Amino acid sequence: QVQLVESGGGLVQAGDSLRLSCAASGRPSARLAMGWFRQGPGKERHFVAAISWTGTYYADSVKGRFTISRDNAKNTVYLQMNSLKPEDPAVYFCAASLRQGVTISEAASYDYWGEGTQVTVSS
């Protein structure tokens, strides 16, 4: 069993930065593929970024602005979000996958989810 707890969300202005954290417990995060997804009101959950043993991956909408990283010693994955835009607000979810060879941008590839953290951007 893996528990994921997100933090770092909040209200910022367009152009500002935020860093989200996802603390994992129950299994070393270094052995997991970790992803970030976001879901706006009334919308589907969309892939944002992921990190695995094969590298880092980003949605086109966040490439060059967001960076995913992990600190294995702290069992934590981060999402650094720069140049936030009015289209970025959502609940951001952290997810973990125990499986290999999956499509890392698909929510169905993940086995565990956090409860999410809200990101709000004012223009």
Side-chain angles (χ1 to χ4, degrees):
Q1 193 77 5
V2 176
Q3 292 79 43
L4 303 172
V5 179
E6 304 97 334
S7 61
L11 170 64
V12 296
Q13 292 188 332
D16 285 352
S17 299
L18 272 178
R19 189 178 78 160
L20 305 183
S21 299
C22 174
S25 60
R27 190 180 288 259
S29 64
R31 298 183 182 181
L32 304 169
M34 302 292 294
W36 286 96
F37 288 74
R38 64 187 181 187
Q39 187 170 15
K43 297 181 180 179
E44 295 182 353
R45 195 167 295 189
H46 291 286
F47 171 72
V48 175
I51 186 168
S52 74
W53 41 88
T54 58
T56 56
Y57 305 87
Y58 298 94
D60 288 342
S61 59
V62 306
K63 279 182 182 176
R65 299 190 297 124
F66 291 11
T67 302
I68 189 170
S69 62
R70 66 165 95 205
D71 185 333
N72 293 333
K74 295 182 179 180
N75 233 24
T76 299
V77 174
Y78 303 99
L79 184 67
Q80 178 67 44
M81 306 187 295
N82 298 330
S83 303
L84 283 161
K85 298 180 179 181
E87 56 262 38
D88 292 323
V91 177
Y92 282 69
F93 296 90
C94 176
S97 177
L98 300 173
R99 292 169 273 172
Q100 297 187 27
V102 297
T103 302
I104 207 165
S105 60
E106 293 183 356
S109 298
Y110 292 84
D111 305 294
Y112 301 98
W113 292 83
E115 295 194 352
T117 184
Q118 177 73 50
V119 172
T120 304
V121 180
S122 63
S123 56

